[in-house]
Amino acid sequence: NAGVTQTPKFQVLKTGQSMTLQCAQDMNHNSMYWYRQDPGMGLRLIYYSASEGTTDKGEVPNGYNVSRLNKREFSLRLESAAPSQTSVYFCASSASTGVSSYNEQFFGPGTRLTVL
Amino acid sequence: GNSVTQMEGPVTLSEEAFLTINCTYTATGYPSLFWYVQYPGEGLQLLLKATKADDKGSNKGFEATYRKETTSFHLEKGSVQVSDSAVYFCALYTGTASKLTFGTGTRLQVTL
């Protein structure tokens, strides 16, 4: 089991360029998430997908779009990158988005993105 | 809204020293509380959790007790090892919008 995989590991973009971050999980999880990690800010939720075919905004969705391509894959797209989007991006997955009980989220290794 | 406050790092300890990383929270309702660990170059891993008041979570020698009266979930370990060097995140979950709320993280460095 690879768990949660992310590509690429590192990326440098110029302001205004676009790119897609890829995430895949092999745990048959229903729910997937995208977070960004910034110094002094912890992790903040960008978007999540409770199940295949659904996506919802998190805490900081502006400037991003997502696609839940199938049950395994959840991509994050930056249409016009800005320096404020320089960050480390983590994808995570969980069995479900349980309301009454927590389903552990499993994290990928991250993508370090720099926007010049 | 919900929030988690952790002590500022970095925390530098000698091997076999006692570790405490403070965490306090503000939340509506009755959150579940977690400690996640991030080793260099890796994603976050769940270290331990507690789902109700007075619960003690434990794993790999680490412990944390859910204290509702002080809204705290401090992480402790009796004797740290060099391999414990990592960033530790306190987090809470209330079931709202599937959202984990994270603290800012505390970097621990353990030296020989």
Side-chain angles (χ1 to χ4, degrees), chain B residues 23-83:
Chain B
C23 171
T24 57
Y25 67 90
T26 302
T28 54
Y30 302 96
S32 296
L33 301 173
F34 309 88
W35 278 100
Y36 275 82
V37 59
Q38 183 182 26
Y39 297 105
E42 298 183 12
L44 279 70
Q45 303 173 26
L46 180 63
L47 180 60
L48 54 85
K49 68 179 181 183
T51 57
K52 61 183 189 298
D54 301 324
D55 268 2
K56 178 185 282 189
S58 61
N59 186 24
K60 299 182 182 179
F62 291 88
E63 291 183 341
T65 301
Y66 188 149
R67 301 281 187 207
K68 189 163 181 280
E69 64 276 11
T70 55
T71 62
S72 64
F73 192 55
H74 304 321
L75 183 68
E76 296 182 335
K77 186 175 186 184
S79 176
V80 293
Q81 306 300 311
V82 171
S83 58

Side-chain angles (χ1 to χ4, degrees), chain A residues 9-72:
Chain A
K9 284 189 166 42
F10 301 94
Q11 184 71 49
V12 178
L13 294 177
K14 294 181 180 176
T15 296
Q17 287 185 317
S18 63
M19 79 161 295
T20 300
L21 280 63
Q22 306 286 355
C23 173
Q25 51 90 11
D26 63 1
M27 295 174 281
N28 201 35
H29 284 168
N30 289 313
S31 303
M32 298 185 74
Y33 313 81
W34 276 106
Y35 291 89
R36 59 178 289 173
Q37 182 183 25
D38 301 296
M41 302 285 289
L43 275 75
R44 294 179 291 170
L45 183 65
I46 305 171
Y47 270 93
Y48 68 101
S49 170
S51 61
E52 188 179 353
T54 69
T55 60
D56 285 286
K57 294 179 181 178
E59 195 179 348
V60 288
N62 290 347
Y64 304 96
N65 285 301
V66 291
S67 296
R68 184 73 183 268
L69 304 168
N70 48 55
K71 191 171 186 180
R72 288 188 65 245

